[in-house]
Amino acid sequence: MSEKLQTETEVIVVGAGPLGIEMAIALQQAGVDYVLIEGKQIGDAISRWPPTTYFFSTPEHVALAGVPVHNLDQRNVSGEQYLAYLRTLVEMFDLNLRVYEPVTAVTRESDGRFTVTTNPQRGLQTYRARHVIMATGG
C-alpha cells in the first residue's frame, strides 16, 4: 500500500470517545484547525459494554459541550443511549473526524512538529501537526 501525505493541521486528536469529541468541539469553536482520528467506531470502548449498562453519573454530569443528554425519564443513561448522543454531537458540530483509521505511529520531527501515521483500509495516511492530543481513555 502506498502512503498518501495529508494536509498539515494545527492539532491532531487521537480517540473519538467522550474526551476526544469534546476536545474537537472546543478546538473547532476556538477556530483551531484540527483532525479527530479514531481507530474503530465512535465511542468504541463504550460500545463494548454489556447491553443495558448504565452510567453511575446523572445525565447532566456526562453531557458534553453544553449539549444536554436527553432520555425519556432523565435517569442515568445507558451505554447505548450515550453512543447515540456521541454520534449526534459529531453530526451536530460537523466534526472533522476520520473513523476506522488506526494510528500506527506518532513521531516528533526535528522541526518540533509531529507526524502521525494511520493505517486505514484505503492505505497508509500521514498527518503533520504542531500538537497531538492522545484522548484514548484508559
Side-chain angles (χ1 to χ4, degrees):
M1 293 184 189
S2 64
E3 191 170 323
K4 180 180 176 187
L5 183 64
Q6 297 292 318
T7 306
E8 291 197 20
T9 187
E10 188 68 20
V11 180
I12 295 171
V13 180
V14 179
L19 182 59
I21 289 171
E22 185 155 44
M23 181 57 65
I25 292 168
L27 290 167
Q28 184 170 291
Q29 290 176 333
V32 176
D33 189 37
Y34 73 92
V35 176
L36 174 59
I37 301 174
E38 170 57 52
K40 295 181 181 174
Q41 65 177 326
I42 296 166
D44 180 64
I46 297 168
S47 73
R48 290 179 274 140
W49 290 1
T52 65
T53 299
Y54 289 84
F55 280 82
F56 289 113
S57 298
T58 57
E60 59 271 7
H61 287 108
V62 296
L64 303 174
V67 178
V69 180
H70 295 289
N71 59 10
L72 293 176
D73 55 15
Q74 284 302 293
R75 293 187 186 169
N76 296 9
V77 295
S78 69
E80 294 89 352
Q81 291 168 324
Y82 201 65
L83 286 172
Y85 170 73
L86 293 178
R87 291 179 182 125
T88 298
L89 290 175
V90 169
E91 290 179 20
M92 177 186 292
F93 289 96
D94 193 25
L95 298 181
N96 187 10
L97 171 65
R98 309 288 192 279
V99 290
Y100 298 102
E101 195 163 324
V103 172
T104 57
V106 178
T107 308
R108 185 155 197 160
E109 304 298 337
S110 60
D111 63 359
R113 296 180 77 76
F114 292 90
T115 298
V116 175
T117 305
T118 65
N119 192 14
Q121 286 189 339
R122 68 183 180 278
L124 292 176
Q125 303 293 304
T126 303
Y127 300 88
R128 285 190 31 93
R130 185 174 307 231
H131 306 283
V132 175
I133 298 170
M134 302 300 286
T136 56

